[in-house]
Amino acid sequence: VSISNFFYHGEYTMVNITFPDGNIKAFENALSGIDAAKSISDGFARNCVAMELDDSLVDLSSVIDHDAKIRFITTKDPGSLDILRHSAAHVMAQAILRLNKNAKLTIGPAVENQFYYDIDMDPISEDDFPKIEAEMKKIIKEKLPIRRRVVPKAEAMDFYKDEPYKLEMISDLEDETISFYEQGEFTDLCRGPHVPHTGFVKNVKLIKVSGAYWRADPSKPQLQRIYGSAFFDKKELNEYLTFLKEAKKRNHRKIGQALDLFSFHEEALGMPFFHPKGMDLWNALLDYWLHENREAGYVETKTPIMLNRSLWERSGHWENYRENMYTSAIDDIEYAIKPMNCPGGMLLYSRKPHSYRDLPLRVAEVGLVHRHELSGVLSGLFRVRAFHQDDAHLYMTSAHIKDEILGVLKLSERIYNAFGLGFLLELSTRPEKSIGTDQQWETATRGLAAALDAYGQDYQLNEGDGAFYGPKIDLHIRDALNRTWQCGTIQLDMSLPERFNLHYIDKDNERHRPIMIHRTVFGSIERFLGILIEHFAGKFPLWLSPLQAIILPINDDLVPYANEVLATLKQADLRAEVDSRTESLNKKVREAQLQYIPIILTIGGREKEASTLSVRTLDGNVKYVVSLETFLNTVQRHIRDRSLSLEF
């Protein structure tokens, strides 16, 4: 087949299409993407959603009028779900406009596993979903073709003259032409692409509704943000809905309230209050963190929560991060509450001379930081304004990079394993805007890659997404529901050592700039606790549980003996209590189970007489006639080993 650009045969123009396998097929005239798909087979075409035309993602209705490379996006292609969900957002918006002609549309993107549309309308609730979904089903059943139309910007503005949000968006665009998508009577401002017709959106479900400010600005109107999800396969939709139900049951805010761990108050929005049981959980987590860090050769420091403006100007935060910082004036000098720990760490390093013999130097700090977040994005422990970072700064020479990165990876693995958390790795390289020389970036990136290769776990390369001051490795943990959370990070920094003029004396007796690594494992301790609450669904392993054991005497006469047992448990550093209320034993057992207390100890007359215990674990297993010595040996072994399961 000839691959010259055009052959003329009377009124026809020959078009040559190159498919992904390298095959070239000639067509006697321009044709649409759907026609090209049908040239393979009608069955194949029915499963096509969109296509890549010369590496641009476009609708199947797009005309191919020149020699081109194409790749079809089918329903099996992972990228097809975003296209489907974007189209589902349009179907939902069309249904709402049919039900409420006064509603004003803004934007409706696809997001992870879902879609949403922000609409200016009277508040609705999930009780309104069946009516909206019924109208959506009508639109889906109509199989309305979804067509793209491109018009001059002036014509688009005239079309949307009565739609303030669309008009504002068009005004902000620099494009000379604007694309619309039409399905039946519905038209929406959109770049696309979309599925060929509304019939593709047959497996769809609305999920939740919340408030959202237009363009995330509290001074602008509050909109109704309606979320939904869509899949090509009904089974996958049902599996996702089941996942959402399980995630809802594990909601850390709900469990945190039920277990009396933490709370939020209007007097300090976005700043959590931890209760006594929450602090038991917090301290168990931090004790483990401290143990692992000390074993890995870290020293611990603490820096002030407020530092003056000159420091933040020196670090670059005043110029680049000022809008997220809280400030105050002391003695007419402007101060800022720290949004991160790094600048204070730089001052500690620079307080005295360092030799190459001091390196590598591993310095850890659990620092309380504050960052201004809009109230609309605050989300339990996951998004707060005040949180603690388990920070560490490692100072080294270039020869240390590989081993130190490898050490951080192994430390992170040990810590995550203690919670049964797997993790994924991602290496992000130099972005377009960056500081440092090509040689510095090459050395740093090569060091990170070498450490990852030596570590031996697969990682994803994320080109151009590093920090402006250096490449980084991100660790994405995977929880019990198979969700991923970016927690740990390892960042090479070529900016702060320069800004703070850090140095060490090398073997040549000359001053050299150290290489610095920022490192976190938990990231935000508050957020990590929220993840753990949902990961364990509140049923923490024994070593982490806020209350590890509860003692239930079956009558008042046995309360003194129960208190003797309690004293023995506390002497062994167990977190335990006696429930001496005048309630039935069954009720107290049930309430202890609802509080997810790992061990329930029942004491009756026989137990007192024989100095034994009846031990009930959270999984419902009961072991009778357990000596106190055996009990203590067993639980202390589980706590020492940080076991995830409990067996007697």
Side-chain angles (χ1 to χ4, degrees):
V1 178
S2 172
I3 57 172
S4 59
N5 285 338
F6 297 98
F7 277 96
Y8 291 94
H9 300 278
E11 59 181 349
Y12 298 108
T13 301
M14 185 72 75
V15 174
N16 298 293
I17 294 178
T18 304
F19 293 95
D21 61 2
N23 285 332
I24 300 172
K25 192 170 184 178
F27 296 86
E28 291 187 341
N29 206 348
L31 71 165
S32 68
I34 192 66
D35 288 334
K38 286 180 178 179
S39 75
I40 298 173
S41 78
D42 287 343
F44 176 77
R46 282 194 294 271
N47 287 311
C48 289
V49 175
M51 65 177 175
E52 285 182 358
L53 177 61
D54 291 331
D55 298 324
S56 294
L57 190 60
V58 299
D59 304 287
L60 287 174
S61 59
S62 299
V63 175
I64 309 169
D65 58 4
H66 60 282
D67 288 0
K69 296 184 302 180
I70 67 170
R71 182 177 79 87
F72 291 108
I73 310 298
T74 72
T75 57
K76 302 299 182 184
D77 192 305
S80 65
L81 283 171
D82 280 347
I83 298 170
L84 175 70
R85 290 167 185 154
H86 192 182
S87 301
H90 280 215
V91 170
M92 181 180 72
Q94 183 178 8
I96 288 172
L97 285 179
R98 284 185 177 183
L99 297 169
N100 182 355
K101 298 188 183 301
N102 294 321
K104 301 294 183 184
L105 304 181
T106 63
I107 58 171
V111 291
E112 185 177 4
N113 293 320
Q114 297 182 7
F115 63 85
Y116 71 79
Y117 215 118
D118 286 347
I119 303 176
D120 191 347
M121 60 188 293
D122 291 335
I124 66 170
S125 71
E126 293 182 17
D127 293 338
D128 297 297
F129 285 177
K131 187 191 304 182
I132 299 171
E133 288 175 338
E135 195 63 40
M136 291 175 68
K137 287 179 182 177
K138 292 179 185 178
I139 296 167
I140 293 164
K141 191 174 181 180
E142 292 168 16
K143 293 187 177 180
L144 300 172
I146 302 176
R147 297 190 178 95
R148 188 171 192 264
R149 182 163 64 93
V150 179
V151 301
K153 186 173 183 178
E155 183 178 333
M157 295 186 71
D158 183 63
F159 180 84
Y160 277 119
K161 61 185 177 183
D162 297 322
E163 298 285 339
Y165 302 103
K166 299 294 185 182
L167 199 60
E168 182 178 334
M169 286 189 285
I170 294 170
S171 298
D172 290 344
L173 295 174
E174 296 181 359
D175 309 53
E176 293 298 323
T177 58
I178 305 296
S179 60
F180 291 163
Y181 276 83
E182 300 172 335
Q183 53 197 55
E185 83 287 356
F186 177 77
T187 301
D188 202 0
L189 173 70
C190 186
R191 292 187 183 276
H194 285 278
V195 296
H197 59 76
T198 59
F200 275 78
V201 193
K202 58 184 177 181
N203 300 307
V204 62
K205 185 70 177 174
L206 301 188
I207 293 170
K208 65 178 180 178
V209 61
S210 63
Y213 292 112
W214 171 234
R215 294 193 161 175
D217 186 342
S219 67
K220 294 183 177 179
Q222 190 174 55
L223 312 169
Q224 298 295 295
R225 175 169 290 180
I226 307 167
Y227 286 90
S229 190
F231 288 83
F232 291 106
D233 187 285
K234 187 174 183 178
K235 181 182 176 183
E236 290 182 355
L237 174 62
N238 289 335
E239 288 173 350
Y240 181 65
L241 295 176
T242 300
F243 159 80
L244 290 179
K245 287 180 182 177
E246 181 61 28
K248 188 175 183 179
K249 286 194 295 185
R250 292 171 179 254
N251 185 294
H252 74 280
R253 285 167 287 192
K254 181 179 177 181
I255 294 174
Q257 181 178 1
L259 300 187
D260 195 23
L261 301 177
F262 62 88
S263 58
F264 288 90
H265 301 270
E266 290 186 1
E267 292 80 359
L269 288 177
M271 302 180 186
F273 290 67
F274 281 88
H275 306 175
K277 289 181 180 177
M279 286 307 301
D280 286 334
L281 177 62
W282 179 284
N283 288 329
L285 182 68
L286 263 293
D287 285 347
Y288 174 53
W289 182 88
L290 285 169
H291 169 78
E292 288 296 331
N293 276 269
R294 287 167 181 163
E295 288 291 306
Y298 287 76
V299 295
E300 189 182 5
T301 60
K302 184 176 179 61
T303 59
I305 196 171
M306 293 182 69
L307 301 106
N308 69 31
R309 174 175 174 170
S310 64
L311 177 81
W312 300 111
E313 289 177 335
R314 190 176 178 186
S315 69
H317 290 93
W318 196 265
E319 177 183 358
N320 298 304
Y321 207 72
R322 170 67 184 82
E323 67 276 9
N324 296 100
M325 298 167 67
Y326 296 107
T327 62
S328 182
I330 302 175
D331 297 333
D332 297 325
I333 298 173
E334 200 162 10
Y335 279 71
I337 299 176
K338 63 180 180 182
M340 49 200 65
N341 301 305
C342 320
M346 302 305 99
L347 295 181
L348 281 181
Y349 180 92
S350 61
R351 69 188 173 87
K352 68 176 185 179
H354 290 276
S355 161
Y356 69 93
R357 294 185 180 89
D358 301 326
L359 306 182
L361 177 61
R362 309 180 190 107
V363 184
E365 175 181 11
V366 177
L368 174 60
V369 301
H370 291 71
R371 298 178 185 177
H372 178 62
E373 300 279 4
L374 295 174
S375 58
V377 302
L378 299 175
S379 177
L381 297 178
F382 290 157
R383 194 75 174 264
V384 292
R385 289 173 172 164
F387 59 96
H388 294 74
Q389 281 189 310
D390 66 317
D391 241 333
H393 299 103
L394 290 76
Y395 307 90
M396 67 197 72
T397 70
S398 58
H400 294 132
I401 292 177
K402 176 182 172 181
D403 288 342
E404 289 305 302
I405 297 292
L406 199 55
V408 174
L409 289 170
K410 291 179 178 178
L411 171 66
S412 301
E413 179 183 358
R414 287 196 301 275
I415 291 177
Y416 293 151
N417 281 347
F419 308 103
L421 296 165
F423 61 94
L424 308 173
L425 295 169
E426 184 178 76
L427 172 61
S428 298
T429 59
R430 188 176 190 172
E432 287 187 15
K433 293 184 178 179
S434 61
I435 62 168
T437 65
D438 291 344
Q439 181 60 44
Q440 286 175 320
W441 275 90
E442 184 180 348
T443 299
T445 305
R446 190 169 57 242
L448 292 181
L452 286 169
D453 291 338
Y455 184 60
Q457 180 174 320
D458 290 341
Y459 62 91
Q460 182 178 341
L461 188 62
N462 194 4
E463 294 279 7
D465 201 41
F468 75 91
Y469 49 76
K472 63 175 182 171
I473 297 170
D474 287 328
L475 294 90
H476 300 260
I477 63 173
R478 191 182 293 281
D479 70 8
L481 291 182
N482 212 31
R483 298 174 297 185
T484 57
W485 310 81
Q486 194 276 307
C487 289
T489 189
I490 307 168
Q491 301 177 353
L492 274 170
D493 190 345
M494 294 175 281
S495 172
L496 288 183
E498 185 81 27
R499 286 176 178 267
F500 284 86
N501 194 27
L502 304 186
H503 61 269
Y504 67 94
I505 304 300
D506 208 348
K507 295 176 182 178
D508 58 6
N509 212 33
E510 296 292 329
R511 300 202 324 173
H512 294 268
R513 191 81 65 204
I515 291 172
M516 190 181 82
I517 290 176
H518 302 261
R519 181 233 75 184
T520 64
V521 179
F522 298 147
S524 156
I525 295 174
E526 285 80 354
R527 180 170 175 265
F528 193 77
L529 280 174
I531 293 169
L532 288 183
I533 291 170
E534 298 198 359
H535 174 61
F536 291 116
K539 300 175 184 178
F540 301 107
L542 180 64
W543 71 271
L544 193 58
S545 184
L547 184 59
Q548 294 168 320
I550 191 160
I551 306 167
L552 307 181
I554 65 172
N555 59 50
D556 291 347
D557 294 339
L558 293 166
V559 170
Y561 179 66
N563 284 325
E564 290 178 21
V565 173
L566 176 65
T568 303
L569 299 190
K570 288 193 170 182
Q571 192 172 11
D573 289 329
L574 292 181
R575 298 184 288 276
E577 293 178 358
V578 171
D579 185 349
S580 58
R581 296 176 301 155
T582 55
E583 301 285 355
S584 70
L585 181 63
N586 286 342
K587 182 177 181 180
K588 290 195 283 189
V589 168
R590 177 61 181 154
E591 289 180 356
Q593 290 173 329
L594 290 174
Q595 286 293 301
Y596 302 139
I597 300 170
I599 299 172
I600 301 171
L601 302 175
T602 306
I603 293 179
R606 286 182 301 178
E607 283 79 17
K608 178 181 178 182
E609 184 177 342
S611 296
T612 61
L613 302 167
S614 291
V615 183
R616 180 190 298 268
T617 52
L618 197 53
D619 56 11
N621 289 324
V622 181
K623 187 110 177 191
Y624 299 100
V625 196
V626 178
S627 71
L628 190 56
E629 181 182 4
T630 298
F631 172 77
L632 288 175
N633 287 340
T634 301
V635 297
Q636 287 177 325
R637 184 183 76 250
H638 279 293
I639 291 170
R640 183 176 59 252
D641 296 342
R642 293 187 173 83
S643 303
L644 291 172
S645 59
L646 178 60
E647 296 177 1
F648 278 89

